[in-house]
Amino acid sequence: MWYPSLYRVMLIASFSCFFILSALGQTSLLDSLKRSLKLEQPDTNTFNLLNDICWELESLEAYDSLLPYALKMQKLSARLDYEKGQASAYYKTATAYWHLGNYPEAAASCDSALLYFDRAGDPKKMMHTAYLKGMILGDQGKYEEAMPLYYSAIKKAQSLKDSLAEGAILNSVALVHKWMSQYDRAEEAFMQSIEILNGEATEYRRALSMTNLGYLYIMLEKYEEALTLSHQALALFQKWDSEWGVASNKGNIGACLLKMGLVEESLPYLESHLEYEKENDPKSHAGAIMMLADARQASGELERAGKMYQQALEISVGIGALDYQRQLKVALSENAARRNDYYSAFQHLQQATQLSDTLYSRQTADKVTELAEKFEVERKENQIALLSMENQLKETELSNEANIRKGLLIGLGLVFILGFVVWNGQRKAIKNQRVLDEKNQEILKREYQQALVELELKALRAQMNPHFIFNCMNSINRLILEEKNEEAARLLTKFSRLIRLILEHSGKKKISLQQELDLLETYIHLEARRFDGSLDYQVHLEIDEDMEFIEIPSMILQPFVENAILHGLLPRTDKSGCLKLVIQQKEKSLLCSIEDNGVGREKAKELKENSILSHKSMAMKVTESRLQLLNGIQSEQLVQVTDLVDAQARPCGTRVEVEIPI
């Protein structure tokens, strides 16, 4: 939470530590180099002066000034036909473009540098350049394209026996795995990096990898492991007098202690971390304030925590960080409820819901635009490839015609044979190209449709029934107006908890079975208000493992439970509903049974015109399609619905059985 730009910060820190040396007296040295440059003629001495100036500017992080000198290096090395110099010039240009945010030019310069370093037979510089291009692609979110470059750089580092470089690149690989939600691979890469960087000379680099692994453990709720690593990294960074490293690990330690319930112990670490983040980018500052406010609220300092949440909210509004605004509005709602200010709590919760809709709409629009642009680029590339093939065919045709003319001088028989061979070859080539184009188009279409399906599923997981939200908010509002504050507070706390759980789970592909059951229990308690507390809810588990270690797709059971309540139990006249959830573990799946004693499906069909029913019917259909997609099948029915009847063959409920892969 307190490192929103951690990926880029860590990569730049890795790159800077690996390539930039300490520079004492840099300003005076730089001025001296510039004066010397004016006296030189355009030769290799001038090139070397330009190279020295670029190194000094890079160590000062003056990338605006670095770029023009790097471009001068390019022109001069080309004029001198100095290939090694051209390679260095393109590398410097790529570095400047990367830090200035011009990723296309940075990537193109890396490609040119790789070409010239390859010609020069310089594997070490090729390793550096591949590493740089990997980070450029990573900054654009092109993780799958970055990975081959990272592994190519690792192989070169291993062949050069450069453990410092290998450890640094493995750290970057681990960060990419983490941002791709491949946590097992990220942990493995971090551990390899730490193991390789085990010497005294590589302590700083090892401390950075330990910091990153500690943060990963916090995400995975492995607080003991995170605490141990963070203390070790903190000691190393204190030895190296690194303000950034010390502050980062104090933030990690404070977060661990807070999550473990050791609130008072966490405060000094979080306060120290906040002091450092005040001087950094606004989003990191807001995140540090939010974490410290959580600790203040946990220690009972409600007024102070509320002011800190408000301060963080103002910073987030100023930079347009909608995700932080949403989290802070939920936090302010909980804070107001604890202070018995139920009206403010209700207002903050309404605004958090609105921000969720805005954030989802923006993410969806960006994703659709990205997919459309990607599809358009691939389509144009296919057109270019097709035109190139046609040109090749035309060239072949012209060549064949020339051969035919020469063959006429030899004899009609040879002309006939040669003409037949050429015609047959052209016919097969065109036929094969047509088949290849058709298959390529089919593949692109399937990939595009698959991406849109995944986006739709993510959107559905992030949404809740708007009628349910409306009913809950009306209930809270009515209790406040009736001055039933304690009951309103309990309902508001449960509702805000449900909102928070859904927001946390909506971005995850899988959650633990325990987390899914916690969400269902909170949701059912809220729905039970319609039954005046008479809704009986039972859970029977027949599983062999700890529920924390069983992962299922997020929010996969909620549509079926909501369907049972709205369709089956709510229409009962006596409001004495009973809902039973049975979960049985099979070899590679969970068999979940949701049974109610409601009115049955026949009675529910009479309510078909009801808008809520039609909405949920669509949700169940999409959920079943989602299960089929997860199982890799399309025809098998994974959701079985059984109508229950009593001894007189009268409807007495419904049972839905769902098979979920694990």
Side-chain angles (χ1 to χ4, degrees):
M1 178 183 295
W2 58 99
Y3 306 127
S5 302
L6 185 64
Y7 173 69
R8 180 164 175 79
V9 171
M10 293 300 185
L11 285 182
I12 293 178
S14 302
F15 194 63
S16 300
C17 294
F18 186 52
F19 294 108
I20 300 178
L21 300 175
S22 161
L24 298 174
Q26 288 173 323
T27 304
S28 58
L29 177 60
L30 186 61
D31 291 339
S32 175
L33 290 170
K34 289 181 179 179
R35 286 193 298 269
S36 300
L37 181 64
K38 295 179 181 179
L39 304 176
E40 292 291 338
Q41 297 298 319
D43 54 18
T44 53
N45 290 330
T46 304
F47 179 87
N48 291 332
L49 277 172
L50 285 169
N51 188 50
D52 291 341
I53 290 171
C54 286
W55 271 112
E56 294 301 320
L57 290 171
E58 186 176 356
S59 64
L60 291 170
E61 298 184 1
Y63 301 109
D64 284 328
S65 302
L66 170 62
L67 182 59
Y69 283 101
L71 292 173
K72 287 180 181 178
M73 286 179 66
Q74 280 189 27
K75 292 181 180 178
L76 180 57
S77 58
R79 179 178 175 184
L80 298 174
D81 196 21
Y82 181 28
E83 287 196 353
K84 187 175 181 181
Q86 285 179 288
S88 298
Y90 277 115
Y91 182 83
K92 298 293 185 188
T93 307
T95 302
Y97 277 132
W98 175 44
H99 285 282
L100 294 174
N102 190 340
Y103 299 124
E105 290 293 341
S109 297
C110 277
D111 290 337
S112 298
L114 283 170
L115 178 64
Y116 284 111
F117 282 135
D118 187 30
R119 289 181 183 176
D122 192 336
K124 188 170 185 179
K125 293 293 180 63
M126 290 182 67
M127 173 189 70
H128 294 337
T129 309
Y131 183 28
L132 174 59
K133 187 176 180 184
M135 288 186 290
I136 293 168
L137 293 171
D139 271 4
Q140 300 174 77
K142 299 178 179 179
Y143 303 128
E144 294 181 357
E145 297 178 39
M147 278 302 192
L149 290 163
Y150 282 143
Y151 283 115
S152 172
I154 288 173
K155 288 182 179 179
K156 287 183 171 60
Q158 290 172 342
S159 65
L160 294 168
K161 297 183 179 180
D162 190 340
S163 60
L164 178 62
E166 184 181 357
I169 301 167
L170 275 169
N171 180 69
S172 299
V173 168
L175 288 171
V176 172
H177 279 310
K178 188 187 73 173
W179 284 94
M180 294 173 70
S181 298
Q182 298 171 347
Y183 300 125
D184 291 341
R185 293 185 179 181
E187 181 180 6
E188 181 182 355
F190 278 135
M191 294 295 289
Q192 289 176 354
S193 175
I194 293 169
E195 183 179 354
I196 290 170
L197 300 168
N198 59 0
E200 185 176 351
T202 57
E203 281 183 344
Y204 189 92
R205 164 61 43 209
R206 184 168 74 256
L208 183 59
S209 295
M210 292 167 68
T211 301
N212 293 340
L213 180 55
Y215 181 68
L216 175 65
Y217 281 149
I218 294 174
M219 291 178 59
L220 299 177
E221 301 179 359
K222 297 180 179 180
Y223 301 125
E224 294 292 345
E225 293 92 331
L227 203 58
T228 300
L229 275 173
S230 298
H231 276 297
Q232 293 173 356
L234 176 61
L236 291 173
F237 279 127
Q238 287 173 334
K239 177 180 177 181
W240 283 83
D241 196 23
S242 169
E243 292 183 5
W244 174 86
V246 170
S248 298
N249 282 282
K250 284 186 176 181
N252 278 359
I253 293 169
C256 285
L257 293 171
L258 180 60
K259 295 289 187 180
M260 296 167 71
L262 303 174
V263 180
E264 293 300 325
E265 290 86 339
S266 72
L267 289 173
Y269 292 101
L270 295 175
E271 288 171 348
S272 176
H273 176 248
L274 176 58
E275 283 299 316
Y276 174 81
E277 292 296 354
K278 286 180 180 178
E279 307 300 325
N280 286 303
D281 67 279
K283 195 168 185 180
S284 297
H285 185 199
I289 295 173
M290 194 190 321
M291 181 59 66
L292 183 56
D294 287 342
R296 294 293 182 195
Q297 180 156 288
S299 65
E301 301 177 65
L302 300 180
E303 293 291 340
R304 190 172 182 181
K307 291 178 181 179
M308 294 182 72
Y309 284 135
Q310 190 62 42
Q311 180 188 358
L313 179 63
E314 291 171 1
I315 295 173
S316 301
V317 170
I319 60 176
L322 292 180
D323 53 342
Y324 269 27
Q325 294 176 44
R326 178 184 64 182
Q327 294 178 49
L328 286 162
K329 280 295 180 181
V330 173
L332 283 167
S333 175
E334 293 180 357
N335 180 268
R338 291 190 183 189
R339 292 186 287 105
N340 297 325
D341 184 358
Y342 303 112
Y343 179 76
S344 297
F346 181 68
Q347 293 294 320
H348 286 308
L349 201 56
Q350 278 187 317
Q351 292 165 6
T353 303
Q354 293 170 359
L355 284 167
S356 294
D357 293 339
T358 302
L359 184 62
Y360 163 71
S361 298
R362 178 179 295 181
Q363 291 173 341
T364 301
D366 292 344
K367 186 64 177 179
V368 170
T369 301
E370 179 186 346
L371 289 171
E373 290 177 352
K374 181 178 179 181
F375 183 76
E376 182 64 21
V377 168
E378 291 178 347
R379 187 182 64 83
K380 289 181 178 179
E381 288 177 350
N382 286 336
Q383 289 179 344
I384 293 172
L386 183 59
L387 289 173
S388 175
M389 181 63 70
E390 290 177 353
N391 289 335
Q392 291 178 6
L393 290 173
K394 288 180 180 178
E395 291 175 1
T396 303
E397 187 176 323
L398 292 173
S399 176
N400 289 335
E401 289 177 356
N403 290 333
I404 292 174
R405 285 193 297 269
K406 292 178 183 178
L408 288 173
L409 300 175
I410 299 173
L412 292 176
L414 184 60
V415 169
F416 175 79
I417 296 173
L418 183 60
F420 176 78
V421 170
V422 170
W423 172 82
N424 191 51
Q426 289 178 340
R427 182 180 64 83
K428 289 182 178 180
I430 294 172
K431 181 179 179 180
N432 291 337
Q433 182 60 35
R434 187 183 300 114
V435 172
L436 180 61
D437 290 341
E438 290 175 354
K439 290 188 177 296
N440 284 339
Q441 290 297 328
E442 289 178 3
I443 292 171
L444 287 174
K445 184 176 180 181
R446 284 198 299 270
E447 290 178 349
Y448 182 66
Q449 290 174 342
Q450 178 69 14
L452 291 179
V453 168
E454 290 177 358
L455 183 60
E456 179 185 7
L457 292 178
K458 185 174 181 181
L460 288 171
R461 292 200 304 269
Q463 297 300 297
M464 266 201 317
N465 187 344
H467 298 279
F468 168 70
I469 296 176
F470 179 77
N471 290 336
C472 287
M473 288 189 171
N474 273 350
S475 297
I476 296 170
N477 193 32
R478 184 175 67 255
L479 290 173
I480 293 174
L481 293 175
E482 293 175 357
E483 298 185 356
K484 296 180 180 179
N485 291 339
E486 291 186 4
E487 190 175 352
R490 288 194 298 271
L491 183 59
L492 181 60
T493 300
K494 289 180 181 178
F495 184 59
S496 63
R497 170 176 167 77
L498 181 62
I499 292 291
R500 171 168 284 192
L501 288 174
I502 290 175
L503 291 177
E504 288 177 355
H505 298 343
S506 63
K508 300 178 181 178
K509 291 184 177 180
K510 288 190 174 184
I511 61 175
S512 71
L513 177 58
Q514 183 63 58
Q515 290 174 320
E516 179 79 1
L517 292 178
D518 288 344
L519 185 146
L520 285 178
E521 183 177 2
T522 303
Y523 166 73
I524 292 171
H525 283 173
L526 289 170
E527 286 285 18
R529 289 188 52 82
R530 305 193 190 186
F531 297 85
D532 298 325
S534 61
L535 175 60
D536 183 19
Y537 168 52
Q538 302 174 15
V539 176
H540 298 284
L541 301 176
E542 299 178 14
I543 58 177
D544 301 326
E545 301 178 37
D546 191 332
M547 289 188 291
E548 291 290 347
F549 298 103
I550 298 177
E551 291 189 338
I552 62 174
S554 61
M555 297 180 66
I556 198 73
L557 295 177
Q558 191 270 345
F560 299 105
V561 172
E562 184 170 353
N563 192 62
I565 293 174
L566 296 183
H567 290 192
L569 299 179
L570 192 60
R572 286 178 62 100
T573 56
D574 55 2
K575 300 297 181 182
S576 58
C578 178
L579 182 65
K580 182 188 296 184
L581 175 60
V582 179
I583 300 179
Q584 297 175 310
Q585 184 174 2
K586 300 174 70 175
E587 183 178 355
K588 295 183 179 180
S589 64
L590 291 179
L591 182 61
C592 303
S593 171
I594 301 99
E595 183 176 323
D596 64 77
N597 65 340
V599 298
R601 288 195 295 174
E602 290 299 325
K603 181 65 177 178
K605 287 182 181 179
E606 298 177 6
L607 304 175
K608 189 175 182 180
E609 295 181 359
N610 185 293
S611 61
I612 298 177
L613 291 176
S614 63
H615 170 82
K616 274 298 130 187
S617 295
M618 183 184 67
M620 285 186 63
K621 181 178 179 182
V622 171
T623 303
E624 184 172 2
S625 299
R626 182 178 167 200
L627 284 169
Q628 291 178 333
L629 186 62
L630 290 167
N631 279 277
I633 56 176
Q634 295 296 328
S635 59
E636 185 175 339
Q637 189 172 0
L638 298 174
V639 179
Q640 302 287 343
V641 182
T642 305
D643 294 313
L644 304 179
V645 295
D646 58 16
Q648 287 75 37
R650 293 176 300 184
C652 64
T654 307
R655 181 190 302 117
V656 178
E657 293 179 326
V658 185
E659 187 170 354
I660 303 173
I662 58 174

